[in-house]
Amino acid sequence: YYKIRCAFDGNEALNFIKTDKPDLILLDVMIPELDGYSLCKIIKNNYDYKNTKVIMITAKKMERCILLQQRLSIKLFLRQ
């Protein structure tokens, strides 16, 4: 079975990640307080979470997303 958690901002998401250590994170780029890119950097630079798979969701232009996908080891970008 899967446990699904929903966060309403980046700080809340980070707290969930620290306590639950998820296998997969579905992350919106434009979330309040701590944006998706910043949260992804925190995840990928932390030894405990760096292997966690991240799928980013965005309504932004894909060119920037492709560059960040390689730099941050993001598994996939989904466009809204």
Side-chain angles (χ1 to χ4, degrees):
Y1 92 101
Y2 299 97
K3 181 178 182 181
I4 298 173
R5 300 288 304 259
C6 182
F8 295 98
D9 63 58
N11 291 324
E12 184 179 20
L14 184 57
N15 287 331
F16 287 160
I17 292 165
K18 288 178 180 178
T19 58
D20 292 344
K21 296 189 175 90
D23 295 317
L24 174 68
I25 299 170
L26 186 60
L27 182 60
D28 194 327
V29 169
M30 299 188 308
I31 54 176
E33 294 189 31
L34 182 63
D35 68 74
Y37 294 127
S38 299
L39 180 55
C40 190
K41 287 178 189 174
I42 291 169
I43 294 166
K44 293 302 179 176
N45 288 324
N46 185 304
Y47 180 80
D48 293 330
Y49 318 121
K50 70 178 183 179
N51 293 321
T52 303
K53 293 170 183 61
V54 177
I55 297 175
M56 300 284 289
I57 301 171
T58 185
K60 293 186 173 200
K61 292 183 179 181
M62 293 301 287
E63 293 83 16
R64 181 170 184 225
C65 297
I66 292 169
L67 294 172
L68 289 169
Q69 183 174 6
Q70 295 168 346
R71 189 178 310 148
L72 297 175
S73 300
I74 298 167
K75 288 292 178 189
L76 178 68
F77 266 97
L78 298 177
R79 185 145 188 217
Q80 293 177 336

